Amino acid sequence: MTDPTVEEFARDADAWFSENVPEDPGFMLPLTFMEVGEDRQFDFLRDWQRKVYEAGYLGAAWPTEYGGGGLSEAHQKAATRAMRKYRGPILLNAIGLNWAGPLILDIGSEEQKSAYLKDILSAEDIWCQGFSEPEHGSDLGNAQLKAEREGDEFVLNGSKIWTTQGNYAKYMILLARTNPAAENKYAGLSFFLSPMKIPGIRTQKIKKLTGEFGFTQTFFEDARISADCLIGGEGNGWKVAMRTLEYERGARGGQAGGYVSIPPDLMEIVELAKTAKRDGAAAMDDPVLKDRMVDYLMDMHALSLGNERKRMMPLVEDYPNALPLISKLEFSELYRELSEFALTLLGPKAAYYVGEENSADGGWWARSYLNAFSATIGGGTSQIQRNIIGEHVLGLPKTR
Amino acid sequence: MTDISASLGQLGISEEQVDLLHVATEFCRDKSPVEDVRKLIETDRGYDEKVWSEIAELGWLGIAVPEEFGGSGLGVGEIVPIAEQMGRALMATPFIPATVAGQLLAKAGTERQKEEVLPALAAGERFATTAFGEPGDDMAALGENEAGGFLVSGTTRLVEYAADADLIILAFSHGGSRQLALVERSALPGEALRREAIIDDTRRAYELRLDTFEVAGDAVLDPDKVEEALAHADMVGALLYAADMVGGTFRVVDYTADYLRTRKQFEKVIGSFQALKHPLVDAFIGHERARSHLYAAAHSFGDQGRGEVAVRMAKAQGEKAYAYAADRAIQFHGGFGFTYDCDAGLHRRRAIWNATRYGDARAQKRRLAELLF
Ligand SMILES: Cc1cc2nc3c(=O)[nH]c(=O)nc-3n(C[C@H](O)[C@H](O)[C@H](O)COP(=O)(O)OP(=O)(O)OC[C@H]3O[C@@H](n4cnc5c(N)ncnc54)[C@H](O)[C@@H]3O)c2cc1C
């Protein structure tokens, strides 16, 4: 059988999503993978991801021997577009699909590829990320969770925190200290693909800013994992972690496709500005608000144009790495501002929160605004992003 | 829900643009080092005639002039890389007004005017500037004679490079309508032009005062095409000034980054202070946004509806980016930043001038709101 062309594939995907995007389940669905707080949300999204995968619209560009579709990135992009067009819910297994998956594909052993990739796609195995610790977040290179070698095993002791989907995960990408005596803090780190459901590993849910759950603290007490869980080689953890962050921030490709968050839709905010009333008139009639609306429209459009420009070599010659490096900072901050602006448009009705029938929007924008901080803090805070851009793009000296 | 995204500019780049970008980058860097810009500031003319004639030889004044009149017949968007690189080099040049004037004549000139004048403009043998008038200016015709000529009186301000232009395309009101006429600068009475003190020392502008000045009938542009041509000129001017601002933003961020990499205080290179590093990153991001808009405007320029939206966005974003970057640049150079010797000041002043030309961000955004919401 010959592969479908991108056009054929796109047409089929369009038809499939038009029929298969699920009905509103009657409870609030997460807008991002970091907000999966209830079992019914989890079950619903896991079913959805499996369905998308089985239809061939996830991992379409991953190799067939590991459960992928063996097609091109263009095929996957077409499927993702169709998914977005019909407003499919988010895909659940973000860390597996977008970070662990491409990492394993790129540098994992044959055994690791065969063991993990297919079940990442089908959402059979949920993955989480163990980078941040209670005492070391931005200063990731200082992570202290201990991994001591004993024969063919490592013994894990310490704690990770803000572990998204930690309570659901079967595996964790884990950054741990294998050599406390290394010449510098980075050299003592190693990277593991660690099982979660083993003796000595325990998670505890943490309630978020929004009042929902979604991440955990993860405790390690003499948990034993096989040395085969190492990826990238002992002592190379920092390099592997940096690579992982590039997948996470979208600066490096290879992700399975689909999307794992639904950003605030500018057109909905425009609509809100036209319908929300302030002082008896549409919010949009307020010249100050209208002016801000134009600003946001321009800023949003600049980001989507930037996404295209980054592929046009002549237009990125001065600082070739700039656009990929700035996009996480830009999108996360703009989404935060936009959803906050929506609250301004709501005026006094911004007083209401999720579940209140007197609210104008079901508390949607308030929750959206609060959730926006997940992206300005998670994955490296905006301040850390500015350090990185200043140092790696503009060549400014490191901050110490 | 109305879909605004269909009205927004789209990105693309042509081979001509890529070539021009590369040639212009080198040319402007070589021909307009900042020491030369500073020397030109001290002159009356304000630009280097030799460089100007080289610009003409490169064919840059005829890029968007139709081929039948000696131009290259490309789109206005192709000029953008040149204006951008001129902005990067703070180049002192009448390039923008001369280009706008050429476009105006191409759009509203009579066949005879186009045949007689356009080829010379495209080749850079002569150059024209525009006298559109600022709000409150009162250039007006007193009456029309049988030959279709006018006697014109009044004041028009901020006429760019008027004292050195060969021709001025003069706008004046007549009854309820606007007219345009091609005026030989040498025909102006001696006292007609007065150099105005403007914020941007790298440019020149003049007040033009006329008292019953006779405009011959054959100097008047096609009255039926005036409004359309003026609207077009407005877009061309806004686009090219946006390009200049994007280029300027790039340079001033670069210039400041240089300082932040070398200047030391408290035994530290000051670029390690986040109070400087982070705003400079924001300035850089402003540049990236503005540049994306700029090339979208260049690409979409000729598209119905979309072109106008894209140009106005580029102009507004260019202003925002340049103003912020240059403002912070002054601050981040400390006492040196407050001196005339620091390039940050040249940029900040040029940014203000550029902002005022063809509608500042405030005006652009008001118009955008009307167009989009
Ligand atoms: C919703 C959510 C989900 C998350 N999911 C995960 C996950 O799955 N796995 C995981 O490992 N982590 C996860 N994180 C953790 C996240 O990566 C960290 O919170 C983040 O890196 C910041 O670390 P911290 O919380 O220790 O804050 P700190 O590092 O203590 O930062 C506190 C403040 O200081 C600022 N700051 C710190 N250092 C500097 C500096 N050098 N220059 C300037 N400012 C500085 C920060 O910007 C911040 O404002 C998640 C976080 C959130 C919010």
Side-chain angles (χ1 to χ4, degrees), chain A residues 38-347:
Chain A
E38 300 173 24
D39 289 351
R40 57 182 181 173
Q41 294 176 320
F42 177 81
D43 293 339
F44 182 92
L45 291 176
R46 186 186 216 174
D47 283 347
W48 167 238
Q49 184 183 321
R50 183 186 305 122
K51 229 175 136 184
V52 175
Y53 167 63
E54 283 171 356
Y57 300 124
L58 180 59
W62 284 14
T64 44
E65 58 266 48
Y66 311 124
L71 300 170
S72 70
E73 282 291 339
H75 287 84
Q76 179 57 56
K77 283 218 171 84
T80 301
R81 258 198 308 279
M83 177 168 157
R84 193 165 273 132
K85 177 174 162 194
Y86 294 102
R87 298 176 168 244
I90 59 162
L91 298 177
L92 174 73
N93 199 12
I95 291 164
L97 296 171
N98 293 348
W99 318 338
L103 180 72
I104 294 168
L105 261 177
D106 283 353
I107 68 165
S109 67
E110 198 47 46
E111 289 73 33
Q112 288 168 336
K113 291 181 195 178
S114 307
Y116 300 129
L117 292 172
K118 178 169 188 297
D119 292 337
I120 284 176
L121 291 172
S122 66
E124 181 59 31
D125 297 345
I126 302 303
W127 283 67
C128 68
Q129 180 189 35
F131 281 18
S132 306
E133 298 179 359
E135 297 305 323
H136 301 100
S138 298
D139 187 8
L140 181 61
N142 233 332
Q144 296 299 336
L145 187 133
K146 266 195 301 208
E148 288 167 297
R149 201 186 249 280
E150 283 187 14
D152 289 342
E153 289 185 330
F154 282 89
V155 183
L156 307 177
N157 274 291
S159 161
K160 293 288 176 182
I161 197 165
W162 325 126
T163 320
T164 296
Q165 295 181 27
N167 48 324
Y168 293 116
K170 187 163 169 195
Y171 295 104
M172 168 185 269
I173 44 175
L174 171 68
L175 187 64
R177 190 156 296 277
T178 40
N179 181 8
E183 70 260 31
N184 64 59
K185 62 183 182 183
Y186 304 112
L189 294 168
S190 298
F191 203 102
F192 296 91
L193 308 176
S194 170
M196 287 285 284
K197 312 280 186 200
I198 56 169
I201 298 184
R202 179 171 61 85
T203 62
Q204 189 178 334
K205 289 202 254 184
I206 302 172
K207 202 177 204 180
K208 298 179 307 174
L209 177 62
T210 58
E212 300 156 85
F213 292 96
F215 50 26
T216 66
Q217 183 163 1
T218 309
F219 300 93
F220 300 75
E221 285 155 11
D222 291 328
R224 291 177 168 271
I225 60 172
S226 158
D228 293 341
C229 296
L230 272 171
I231 183 167
E234 193 170 340
N236 291 327
W238 182 248
K239 237 172 63 196
V240 182
M242 287 303 99
R243 193 183 181 100
T244 312
L245 287 175
E246 286 174 25
Y247 299 118
E248 176 170 353
R249 294 167 189 160
R252 191 188 275 273
Q255 290 81 350
Y259 46 82
V260 298
S261 67
I262 298 175
D265 182 341
L266 188 66
M267 291 312 132
E268 278 173 23
I269 296 183
V270 171
E271 219 38 44
L272 180 65
K274 288 178 175 171
T275 49
K277 293 270 189 276
R278 292 187 60 106
D279 300 329
M284 190 68 107
D285 293 343
D286 178 333
V288 173
L289 296 180
K290 190 190 277 188
D291 183 69
R292 285 183 62 189
M293 195 74 243
V294 177
D295 274 326
Y296 289 129
L297 181 63
M298 293 195 296
D299 287 345
M300 280 293 278
H301 192 50
L303 302 201
S304 40
L305 290 171
N307 250 341
E308 293 171 43
R309 183 159 70 85
K310 74 180 176 203
R311 287 188 288 272
M312 300 179 174
M313 271 320 292
L315 292 182
V316 294
E317 274 166 358
D318 305 296
Y319 293 108
N321 63 347
L323 284 166
L325 277 182
I326 67 181
S327 87
K328 189 259 182 191
L329 171 64
E330 286 205 281
F331 276 107
S332 62
E333 287 294 336
L334 192 54
Y335 289 156
R336 182 182 56 75
E337 285 180 45
L338 262 179
S339 40
E340 189 197 18
F341 179 58
L343 294 184
T344 305
L345 293 174
L346 285 173

Side-chain angles (χ1 to χ4, degrees), chain B residues 65-66 69-70 101-103 105-106 113-123:
Chain B
V65 171
F69 301 114
Q103 286 296 308
L105 193 64
Q113 287 165 340
K114 286 194 276 192
E115 274 160 27
E116 282 177 5
V117 181
L118 257 186
L121 296 188

Side-chain angles (χ1 to χ4, degrees), chain B residues 27-37 40 51 86 89-92:
Chain B
F27 180 85
C28 297
R29 197 200 299 129
D30 295 350
K31 303 293 174 179
S32 178
V34 75
E35 309 80 68
D36 290 10
V37 173
L40 290 168
V51 173
M86 289 176 166
L90 283 169
M91 190 179 259

Side-chain angles (χ1 to χ4, degrees), chain B residues 252-368:
Chain B
V252 76
V253 168
D254 212 39
Y255 178 77
T256 309
D258 242 2
Y259 197 64
L260 264 54
R261 283 191 292 259
T262 45
R263 169 80 176 169
K264 279 192 177 171
Q265 284 295 289
F266 302 97
E267 281 99 47
K268 282 187 192 142
V269 183
I270 58 171
S272 64
F273 299 133
Q274 293 180 341
L276 308 189
K277 180 186 281 183
H278 289 190
L280 191 65
V281 166
D282 289 337
F284 176 75
I285 287 177
H287 169 265
E288 293 302 299
R289 290 184 182 184
R291 193 169 199 225
S292 294
H293 273 292
L294 174 64
Y295 278 88
H299 181 69
S300 306
F301 188 84
D303 298 354
Q304 183 65 34
R306 183 184 287 158
E308 180 179 353
V309 169
V311 168
R312 293 189 186 283
M313 286 193 172
K315 182 78 174 24
Q317 289 257 308
E319 173 181 331
K320 187 172 162 187
Y322 202 11
Y324 181 72
D327 174 288
R328 292 297 79 197
I330 293 173
Q331 182 70 20
F332 294 175
H333 281 81
F336 176 53
F338 197 68
T339 67
Y340 199 79
D341 284 341
C342 179
D343 292 352
L346 294 183
H347 283 286
R348 186 66 194 98
R349 297 174 67 155
R350 184 149 160 147
I352 293 171
W353 168 265
N354 286 1
T356 64
R357 302 295 83 202
Y358 299 96
D360 63 6
R362 186 80 276 287
Q364 302 298 353
K365 289 198 285 174
R366 194 165 51 222
R367 187 73 191 112
L368 281 166

